[in-house]
Amino acid sequence: MTRLPPRPALFWSDDGTPEDRRVGDIYFSRQSGLEETRTVFLKGCGLPERWAGKERFTIGELGFGTGLNFLAAWQLWRANRPAPDAWLHFVSFEGFPLDRDDAARALSAWPDLEDLSGKLLDQWPERAKGVQRMVWPQDGVTLTLHTGDIAETLPQSRFEADAWFLDGFSPAKNADMWDPSLWPMVKTRCRNGTILATFTVAGFVRRGLQDAGFTVKKTQGFGRKRERLEVH
């Protein structure tokens, strides 16, 4: 069995937005991917307020993609680190990892992330199935990336998150990343008070989360998406 995960079927639109033609979906909002991340995921999970006073804060993510969500969280942590020795742990899952050059091209759209993008790209994970960990001790940040089929990688993981970013491609186009069987496993990887955030309000996603014991609330979306979910 190959240890190499499949590459996305990458296509670049005229405005520079990357798309995976395998699922027919874009990696981030054409209006502003970074602002979408800040609104849907950072604000949606109550950050930075919820890590105030904590020595350790862990974020779980389904769908690493370009690494944009990770960089936005890192930037916010750097500006609002609760203590000099506090650590942010970011644990993400990806099935079709980007090559470094493609990630660099995508992330070049945000010059204000250039410093952190460069640090991430310097340690960009190899295209290999399994678990890879990157550490930036000066900022107290670790990234743990699980690469492979989510039905295999999520059950094998061992951690508890204070927040979750649910950011796979559209549920209508990439149903495996939103399968109801995942939500009980996500639930067991939550601490008390964990908040989950996602851009989608798809009915089967809401029902699956509710069946797993979460409380689901619709709230104002970003850009063309009228609504998004905050989940407790």
Side-chain angles (χ1 to χ4, degrees):
M1 181 180 295
T2 179
R3 295 290 297 167
L4 295 179
R7 286 187 170 92
L10 204 60
F11 170 78
W12 297 88
S13 63
D14 291 340
D15 64 5
T17 304
E19 173 185 339
D20 187 347
R21 285 190 161 173
R22 174 184 58 89
V23 293
D25 201 5
I26 55 178
Y27 278 83
F28 42 71
S29 169
R30 284 192 166 91
Q31 292 174 273
S32 175
L34 182 55
E35 287 308 312
E36 180 182 43
T37 287
R38 289 169 173 163
T39 299
V40 174
F41 298 111
L42 302 183
K43 180 181 176 183
C45 286
L47 305 178
E49 294 80 7
R50 289 190 55 246
W51 64 46
K54 295 189 176 182
E55 296 181 357
R56 173 180 176 178
F57 195 88
T58 301
I59 297 173
E61 178 189 52
L62 299 186
F64 185 70
T66 63
L68 179 60
N69 293 342
F70 167 64
L71 291 172
W74 185 357
Q75 185 184 57
L76 190 66
W77 177 263
R78 178 184 266 187
N80 299 273
R81 191 176 180 182
D85 57 350
W87 279 82
L88 174 66
H89 298 278
F90 198 96
V91 184
S92 190
F93 296 80
E94 177 60 52
F96 293 78
L98 287 170
D99 290 333
R100 182 193 178 281
D101 289 349
D102 290 322
R105 179 176 176 181
L107 294 171
S108 67
W110 295 286
D112 59 331
L113 291 177
E114 183 176 2
D115 176 39
L116 297 181
S117 297
K119 293 179 184 298
L120 174 59
L121 292 167
D122 285 345
Q123 295 194 50
W124 191 255
E126 298 178 5
R127 191 170 70 89
K129 292 181 180 178
V131 184
Q132 299 179 62
R133 181 170 287 113
M134 291 128 275
V135 183
W136 294 270
Q138 184 173 0
D139 288 339
V141 172
T142 66
L143 168 64
T144 303
L145 182 63
H146 297 256
T147 302
D149 186 336
I150 189 63
E152 299 176 359
T153 56
L154 185 57
Q156 294 169 359
S157 65
R158 298 291 183 269
F159 69 100
E160 289 185 325
D162 301 283
W164 273 95
F165 299 170
L166 307 182
D167 195 29
F169 287 120
S170 166
K173 300 176 180 180
N174 191 32
D176 288 350
M177 190 62 98
W178 304 91
D179 191 277
S181 65
L182 301 179
W183 309 136
M185 289 185 281
V186 168
K187 181 72 171 177
T188 62
R189 288 158 179 79
C190 292
R191 292 195 176 99
N192 290 335
T194 296
I195 298 177
L196 294 74
T198 183
F199 61 87
T200 185
V201 293
F204 84 94
V205 174
R206 298 199 315 271
R207 291 188 295 272
L209 288 165
Q210 289 169 339
D211 289 345
F214 290 105
T215 300
V216 179
K217 179 180 71 173
K218 290 183 181 179
T219 189
Q220 183 177 356
F222 176 84
R224 296 179 181 178
K225 297 173 183 174
R226 293 186 303 166
E227 296 175 311
R228 56 185 169 89
L229 293 184
E230 292 181 10
V231 184
H232 300 257

